[in-house]
Amino acid sequence: MSADEPTHIMIVDDEKSIRWVLEKTISRMNHIPHPVTSAEETWDVLKKHPIDMAFVDINLPQQDGLQFTRELLKQYPHMIVVIMTGQSSMHNTVEAMKIGAYDYISKPFDIEDIERIIAQVLKILSGARREQFIPSSLKSDKADLLVGVSDSMRTIYKAIGRVAATDLTVLIQGESGTGKELIARSIHQHSTRANQPFIAINCAAIPKELLESELFGHEKGSFTGATDQKKGKFELASQGTLFLDEIGDMPLELQSKLLRVLQEKSFERVGGQTLLKTNMRVIAATHCNLDELIEAGRFRADLFYRLNVFPIYAAPLRERAEDIQVLIEHFLEKGQKELAVCAKTMSQEAMEELSLYQWPGNIRELENVIKSLMITNVMDLITKESLPQGILKKSQITPANQNLEDMVYEQLRPMVKQYLETDGENLMDEILQQVERPLLKILLEHTRGNQQKASKILGINRNTLRKKVEVLGIRKNDNHNDSEES
């Protein structure tokens, strides 16, 4: 396709306003829109026009949008499809990516997001061939394990959908309590191995002397206490998925043995001589900074490259505050069933306090707090006064509630002193840049990169904002929420 040649883009949605907005946007970008109201109409359009891309609503009249997309990509495998939905969910996002959708966007959407997606697609169409993901008709009948509506969670949902149907090794990195094992289980449940075992082992929780036996298994009499033959995790997970949690804590000598298993797909039990084959899929996770461990000589670089084929980042809860209320409601419902207590609700005041708290223990800490509140509160309504004092105190001293002038004053004193001692110049420019850069980053993250919204909040012209972003060197991938899956 020539770079100057217009792209034919189909819009499949029975909502007139959505068709109108997309039609205008596509036309303004000098491409050719083909709006239709139902799946039936699309086949006539496809016979007459060379459609390269399609925006498809998930709720079509008389047909499910995901099923239609599956049929569409079966007949036109190189078409790029973007699914549109009025209500985002983990299941729908994962399924959309599994069947080969390029992206999954929620209504109402920003025009700039549509423009960005179309621009990305044009690069794909005019350059390298599109990456194909293996379609799967596998349906998970299990409840969604992951909960969240933030951009970072939607990115994870897409990543799960794209990698689940493959056998690629996945490395999940993130702080403790961010749900790394839930991500691994979700990948397994949406994979073709879903009916095979999911075996998890925490490399940090098992003593070094026993970890090798846990992984490789052992023969009877191979060491003191080995009274029987034992199968290891490699053997138990064959045909299924092995989840190696806290891989950063694995001893170096075991790292080299693990690397050999990943390379050769075979191993021997401790004290054994029979070579055993394994067809396991490996997912690893860690809260450690593996780059730092590699520099310190505590983690093998070659093992890192073998594991980091498909990286996923699990953001801490403080970076996705919009998920806190959704998680609280989820844990209230879950707690009612697990703890056999009456239904509880959270007051708005209590909800706001919990949203202000930084949650150093992440999702695990939040769930434990909610469980405790459900047991200790006799009343159906959980109020602010019921919250643990530690949470109340810390939520009340967050930076957002501190006096900004006092904070800036304390930070500037040592900086000004250093400039005076070194005869530095242009102090005003240096300080303003250091204030502007984080401010613009935060606002662009909050508006999901929408410069029009950000400029309105700042009270400046959009062109001024664009120029500042360029001068300050602010890139979209400066923020975790803007990162894409590999």
Side-chain angles (χ1 to χ4, degrees):
M1 188 186 84
S2 169
D4 298 326
E5 185 180 343
T7 302
H8 290 259
I9 303 175
M10 188 165 58
I11 306 158
V12 190
D13 199 314
D14 62 338
E15 193 174 341
K16 185 177 180 180
S17 60
I18 296 295
R19 294 198 309 274
W20 184 86
V21 169
L22 288 174
E23 191 175 354
K24 293 295 181 185
T25 303
I26 293 166
S27 298
R28 190 174 65 252
M29 296 180 73
N30 298 319
H31 300 296
I32 304 172
H34 297 275
V36 296
T37 60
S38 67
E40 290 79 7
E41 295 179 40
T42 61
W43 305 113
D44 290 332
V45 172
L46 288 164
K47 290 176 184 176
K48 300 174 183 176
H49 304 283
I51 303 297
D52 298 305
M53 178 183 184
F55 287 91
V56 178
D57 184 38
I58 199 169
N59 294 313
L60 294 174
Q62 289 140 4
Q63 187 169 10
D64 173 69
L66 290 177
Q67 180 59 36
F68 167 70
T69 299
R70 187 179 286 106
E71 294 173 7
L72 185 64
L73 290 174
K74 187 176 181 180
Q75 295 193 39
Y76 299 88
H78 298 296
M79 185 179 296
I80 294 181
V81 178
V82 176
I83 300 289
M84 302 180 291
T85 177
Q87 186 175 5
S88 181
S89 73
M90 173 192 164
H91 178 77
N92 285 340
T93 308
V94 171
E95 288 299 318
M97 308 316 288
K98 278 169 63 178
I99 63 178
Y102 173 76
D103 211 335
Y104 184 94
I105 58 175
S106 300
K107 302 175 185 177
F109 42 72
D110 293 326
I111 298 302
E112 289 190 356
D113 287 339
I114 300 299
E115 292 173 345
R116 173 183 55 79
I117 290 172
I118 293 175
Q120 289 174 346
V121 168
L122 291 181
K123 289 181 181 179
I124 293 171
L125 294 173
S126 61
R129 67 185 283 273
R130 176 179 173 227
E131 180 181 2
Q132 295 292 317
F133 300 102
I134 301 174
S136 172
S137 57
L138 177 67
K139 290 286 185 179
S140 173
D141 56 358
K142 301 178 181 179
D144 288 348
L145 293 171
L146 295 167
V147 176
V149 295
S150 63
D151 286 347
S152 58
M153 285 306 298
R154 284 199 290 264
T155 296
I156 287 174
Y157 299 155
K158 293 176 185 178
I160 291 171
R162 285 175 172 167
V163 78
T166 75
D167 275 333
L168 294 178
T169 304
V170 179
L171 177 62
I172 308 168
Q173 299 190 73
E175 296 177 8
S176 296
T178 50
K180 297 187 291 295
E181 183 170 345
L182 292 183
I183 295 171
R185 287 186 181 275
S186 294
I187 292 171
H188 174 74
Q189 286 188 4
H190 288 88
S191 75
T192 54
R193 297 173 182 260
N195 294 325
Q196 299 298 326
F198 176 89
I199 305 295
I201 182 169
N202 189 320
C203 300
I206 300 174
K208 174 182 175 181
E209 299 75 21
L210 298 178
L211 185 56
E212 183 176 9
S213 174
E214 286 293 319
L215 289 170
F216 290 82
H218 62 252
E219 297 292 350
K220 181 179 179 180
S222 57
F223 55 84
T224 304
T227 56
D228 294 294
Q229 183 192 75
K230 178 185 176 180
K231 293 182 178 181
K233 305 301 185 188
F234 293 152
E235 198 168 349
L236 295 172
S238 190
Q239 309 305 320
T241 301
L242 176 64
F243 176 56
L244 297 170
D245 198 8
E246 300 304 350
I247 189 71
D249 293 289
M250 179 177 281
L252 271 172
E253 55 268 32
L254 271 185
Q255 290 179 29
S256 60
K257 293 182 178 181
L258 171 62
L259 180 62
R260 193 176 306 117
V261 175
L262 294 175
Q263 290 171 339
E264 300 175 4
K265 302 292 184 183
S266 61
F267 64 96
E268 297 172 352
R269 297 192 190 106
V270 175
Q273 296 181 343
T274 303
L275 195 64
L276 303 172
K277 292 289 186 180
T278 182
N279 184 32
M280 63 184 176
R281 194 245 185 97
V282 173
I283 302 176
T286 181
H287 74 282
C288 301
N289 185 321
L290 293 183
D291 288 330
E292 292 180 358
L293 292 183
I294 290 170
E295 286 185 17
R298 292 165 51 197
F299 199 86
R300 294 180 61 108
D302 48 3
L303 177 58
F304 171 75
Y305 299 135
R306 175 69 67 170
L307 294 172
N308 197 40
V309 178
F310 192 96
I312 294 179
Y313 171 69
L317 196 50
R318 63 181 176 275
E319 290 183 9
R320 50 187 186 97
E322 59 265 54
D323 287 336
I324 293 176
Q325 183 168 340
V326 181
L327 285 164
I328 289 172
E329 292 169 352
H330 169 71
F331 291 139
L332 286 172
E333 182 179 349
K334 181 182 176 185
Q336 180 189 354
K337 298 173 183 176
E338 290 184 356
L339 304 173
V341 296
C342 64
K344 310 273 184 178
T345 56
M346 189 77 62
S347 73
Q348 187 59 39
E349 194 176 21
M351 192 76 79
E352 290 173 359
E353 288 293 333
L354 293 174
S355 297
L356 286 172
Y357 183 58
Q358 294 294 291
W359 298 107
N362 294 298
I363 301 171
R364 187 180 297 128
E365 181 186 7
L366 174 60
E367 181 174 12
N368 290 337
V369 167
I370 299 302
K371 283 182 177 178
S372 176
L373 289 170
M374 293 192 75
I375 294 172
T376 56
N377 278 266
V378 179
M379 305 299 291
D380 295 344
L381 182 67
I382 300 173
T383 63
K384 174 183 174 180
E385 290 70 29
S386 306
L387 302 182
Q389 285 301 308
I391 287 180
L392 285 172
K393 287 178 182 177
K394 290 182 180 178
S395 68
Q396 290 164 2
I397 58 171
T398 54
N401 291 327
Q402 293 180 26
N403 185 296
L404 181 60
E405 185 175 343
D406 290 342
M407 289 173 60
V408 173
Y409 181 80
E410 291 300 322
Q411 293 292 323
L412 282 179
R413 285 183 67 182
M415 185 176 179
V416 172
K417 182 180 178 182
Q418 182 181 358
Y419 260 73
L420 292 174
E421 289 174 351
T422 58
D423 296 324
E425 297 179 353
N426 301 318
L427 177 59
M428 180 67 77
D429 288 342
E430 178 67 24
I431 290 173
L432 290 178
Q433 281 193 17
Q434 291 196 35
V435 172
E436 280 186 320
R437 187 179 287 110
L439 175 61
L440 297 186
K441 281 184 180 180
I442 291 168
L443 270 176
L444 289 171
E445 181 179 348
H446 176 74
T447 61
R448 296 171 59 192
N450 189 321
Q451 293 189 5
Q452 186 172 354
K453 283 185 180 179
S455 62
K456 185 176 181 181
I457 295 170
L458 288 166
I460 62 176
N461 184 275
R462 182 178 174 183
N463 290 331
T464 302
L465 174 60
R466 184 179 287 115
K467 186 175 181 180
K468 285 181 178 291
V469 166
E470 184 178 340
V471 170
L472 294 172
I474 298 173
R475 303 182 305 275
K476 284 190 175 183
N477 60 5
D478 283 340
N479 298 313
H480 289 305
N481 285 350
D482 294 321
S483 65
E484 292 290 331
E485 311 85 54
S486 297

PDB file of all heavy atoms in Angstrom, residues 19 48 128 168 176 192 194 246 347 354 405 423 471 476:
ATOM      1  N   ARG A  19     -21.149   6.375  14.483  1.00  0.00           N
ATOM      2  CA  ARG A  19     -20.805   6.308  13.054  1.00  0.00           C
ATOM      3  C   ARG A  19     -20.442   7.689  12.530  1.00  0.00           C
ATOM      4  O   ARG A  19     -19.481   7.844  11.772  1.00  0.00           O
ATOM      5  CB  ARG A  19     -21.978   5.733  12.241  1.00  0.00           C
ATOM      6  CG  ARG A  19     -22.300   4.279  12.537  1.00  0.00           C
ATOM      7  CD  ARG A  19     -23.145   3.652  11.404  1.00  0.00           C
ATOM      8  NE  ARG A  19     -24.317   4.449  11.064  1.00  0.00           N
ATOM      9  CZ  ARG A  19     -25.490   4.374  11.679  1.00  0.00           C
ATOM     10  NH1 ARG A  19     -25.641   3.516  12.691  1.00  0.00           N
ATOM     11  NH2 ARG A  19     -26.511   5.127  11.308  1.00  0.00           N
ATOM     12  N   LYS A  48     -17.286  -4.889  -2.516  1.00  0.00           N
ATOM     13  CA  LYS A  48     -17.128  -3.738  -3.408  1.00  0.00           C
ATOM     14  C   LYS A  48     -15.866  -2.917  -3.138  1.00  0.00           C
ATOM     15  O   LYS A  48     -15.393  -2.206  -4.028  1.00  0.00           O
ATOM     16  CB  LYS A  48     -18.345  -2.822  -3.282  1.00  0.00           C
ATOM     17  CG  LYS A  48     -19.672  -3.499  -3.644  1.00  0.00           C
ATOM     18  CD  LYS A  48     -20.838  -2.567  -3.350  1.00  0.00           C
ATOM     19  CE  LYS A  48     -22.177  -3.241  -3.632  1.00  0.00           C
ATOM     20  NZ  LYS A  48     -23.328  -2.375  -3.249  1.00  0.00           N
ATOM     21  N   ALA A 128       6.027  -3.037   7.894  1.00  0.00           N
ATOM     22  CA  ALA A 128       6.152  -4.469   8.208  1.00  0.00           C
ATOM     23  C   ALA A 128       4.795  -5.136   8.254  1.00  0.00           C
ATOM     24  O   ALA A 128       3.787  -4.506   8.567  1.00  0.00           O
ATOM     25  CB  ALA A 128       6.847  -4.626   9.556  1.00  0.00           C
ATOM     26  N   LEU A 168       4.712 -18.725  24.394  1.00  0.00           N
ATOM     27  CA  LEU A 168       5.809 -17.834  24.759  1.00  0.00           C
ATOM     28  C   LEU A 168       5.997 -17.800  26.275  1.00  0.00           C
ATOM     29  O   LEU A 168       5.035 -17.840  27.043  1.00  0.00           O
ATOM     30  CB  LEU A 168       5.536 -16.417  24.265  1.00  0.00           C
ATOM     31  CG  LEU A 168       5.503 -16.202  22.749  1.00  0.00           C
ATOM     32  CD1 LEU A 168       5.172 -14.752  22.434  1.00  0.00           C
ATOM     33  CD2 LEU A 168       6.825 -16.604  22.121  1.00  0.00           C
ATOM     34  N   SER A 176       5.256  -6.531  45.326  1.00  0.00           N
ATOM     35  CA  SER A 176       4.510  -7.582  46.022  1.00  0.00           C
ATOM     36  C   SER A 176       3.065  -7.142  46.225  1.00  0.00           C
ATOM     37  O   SER A 176       2.801  -5.988  46.557  1.00  0.00           O
ATOM     38  CB  SER A 176       5.149  -7.880  47.380  1.00  0.00           C
ATOM     39  OG  SER A 176       6.446  -8.406  47.205  1.00  0.00           O
ATOM     40  N   THR A 192      -4.630 -22.710  25.495  1.00  0.00           N
ATOM     41  CA  THR A 192      -5.047 -24.042  25.071  1.00  0.00           C
ATOM     42  C   THR A 192      -4.645 -25.106  26.092  1.00  0.00           C
ATOM     43  O   THR A 192      -4.997 -26.277  25.945  1.00  0.00           O
ATOM     44  CB  THR A 192      -4.421 -24.389  23.710  1.00  0.00           C
ATOM     45  OG1 THR A 192      -3.001 -24.219  23.800  1.00  0.00           O
ATOM     46  CG2 THR A 192      -4.966 -23.474  22.622  1.00  0.00           C
ATOM     47  N   ALA A 194      -5.552 -24.841  29.257  1.00  0.00           N
ATOM     48  CA  ALA A 194      -6.432 -24.558  30.391  1.00  0.00           C
ATOM     49  C   ALA A 194      -6.890 -25.813  31.126  1.00  0.00           C
ATOM     50  O   ALA A 194      -7.139 -25.773  32.336  1.00  0.00           O
ATOM     51  CB  ALA A 194      -7.642 -23.754  29.919  1.00  0.00           C
ATOM     52  N   GLU A 246       8.583 -15.142  42.326  1.00  0.00           N
ATOM     53  CA  GLU A 246       9.800 -14.589  42.945  1.00  0.00           C
ATOM     54  C   GLU A 246      11.056 -15.266  42.390  1.00  0.00           C
ATOM     55  O   GLU A 246      11.933 -15.722  43.130  1.00  0.00           O
ATOM     56  CB  GLU A 246       9.739 -14.712  44.472  1.00  0.00           C
ATOM     57  CG  GLU A 246       8.576 -13.978  45.115  1.00  0.00           C
ATOM     58  CD  GLU A 246       8.524 -12.486  44.760  1.00  0.00           C
ATOM     59  OE1 GLU A 246       9.492 -11.950  44.169  1.00  0.00           O
ATOM     60  OE2 GLU A 246       7.508 -11.838  45.082  1.00  0.00           O
ATOM     61  N   SER A 347     -19.438   3.442  53.013  1.00  0.00           N
ATOM     62  CA  SER A 347     -19.908   4.825  52.888  1.00  0.00           C
ATOM     63  C   SER A 347     -19.000   5.584  51.939  1.00  0.00           C
ATOM     64  O   SER A 347     -17.821   5.236  51.774  1.00  0.00           O
ATOM     65  CB  SER A 347     -19.936   5.514  54.253  1.00  0.00           C
ATOM     66  OG  SER A 347     -18.621   5.801  54.697  1.00  0.00           O
ATOM     67  N   LEU A 354     -10.097   5.596  51.827  1.00  0.00           N
ATOM     68  CA  LEU A 354      -9.346   4.452  51.316  1.00  0.00           C
ATOM     69  C   LEU A 354      -8.684   4.775  49.980  1.00  0.00           C
ATOM     70  O   LEU A 354      -7.617   4.245  49.661  1.00  0.00           O
ATOM     71  CB  LEU A 354     -10.271   3.245  51.165  1.00  0.00           C
ATOM     72  CG  LEU A 354     -10.821   2.660  52.472  1.00  0.00           C
ATOM     73  CD1 LEU A 354     -11.833   1.563  52.184  1.00  0.00           C
ATOM     74  CD2 LEU A 354      -9.697   2.126  53.354  1.00  0.00           C
ATOM     75  N   GLU A 405       3.180  25.289  49.053  1.00  0.00           N
ATOM     76  CA  GLU A 405       4.231  26.304  49.191  1.00  0.00           C
ATOM     77  C   GLU A 405       5.302  25.855  50.176  1.00  0.00           C
ATOM     78  O   GLU A 405       6.508  26.030  49.943  1.00  0.00           O
ATOM     79  CB  GLU A 405       3.626  27.631  49.650  1.00  0.00           C
ATOM     80  CG  GLU A 405       4.645  28.765  49.690  1.00  0.00           C
ATOM     81  CD  GLU A 405       4.007  30.105  50.033  1.00  0.00           C
ATOM     82  OE1 GLU A 405       2.765  30.219  49.915  1.00  0.00           O
ATOM     83  OE2 GLU A 405       4.748  31.024  50.409  1.00  0.00           O
ATOM     84  N   ASP A 423      28.256  28.817  41.725  1.00  0.00           N
ATOM     85  CA  ASP A 423      28.128  29.958  40.805  1.00  0.00           C
ATOM     86  C   ASP A 423      27.286  29.601  39.583  1.00  0.00           C
ATOM     87  O   ASP A 423      27.570  30.029  38.457  1.00  0.00           O
ATOM     88  CB  ASP A 423      29.512  30.467  40.342  1.00  0.00           C
ATOM     89  CG  ASP A 423      30.320  31.014  41.505  1.00  0.00           C
ATOM     90  OD1 ASP A 423      29.704  31.637  42.408  1.00  0.00           O
ATOM     91  OD2 ASP A 423      31.539  30.821  41.521  1.00  0.00           O
ATOM     92  N   VAL A 471       9.667  20.748  23.946  1.00  0.00           N
ATOM     93  CA  VAL A 471      10.878  21.347  24.517  1.00  0.00           C
ATOM     94  C   VAL A 471      11.362  20.566  25.731  1.00  0.00           C
ATOM     95  O   VAL A 471      12.562  20.340  25.915  1.00  0.00           O
ATOM     96  CB  VAL A 471      10.615  22.823  24.898  1.00  0.00           C
ATOM     97  CG1 VAL A 471      11.784  23.385  25.717  1.00  0.00           C
ATOM     98  CG2 VAL A 471      10.406  23.675  23.650  1.00  0.00           C
ATOM     99  N   LYS A 476       5.362   9.851  25.391  1.00  0.00           N
ATOM    100  CA  LYS A 476       4.217   9.080  25.891  1.00  0.00           C
ATOM    101  C   LYS A 476       4.658   7.910  26.752  1.00  0.00           C
ATOM    102  O   LYS A 476       4.001   7.576  27.724  1.00  0.00           O
ATOM    103  CB  LYS A 476       3.372   8.550  24.717  1.00  0.00           C
ATOM    104  CG  LYS A 476       2.506   9.626  24.083  1.00  0.00           C
ATOM    105  CD  LYS A 476       1.532   9.006  23.108  1.00  0.00           C
ATOM    106  CE  LYS A 476       0.579  10.070  22.576  1.00  0.00           C
ATOM    107  NZ  LYS A 476      -0.433   9.483  21.682  1.00  0.00           N
TER     108      LYS A 476
END
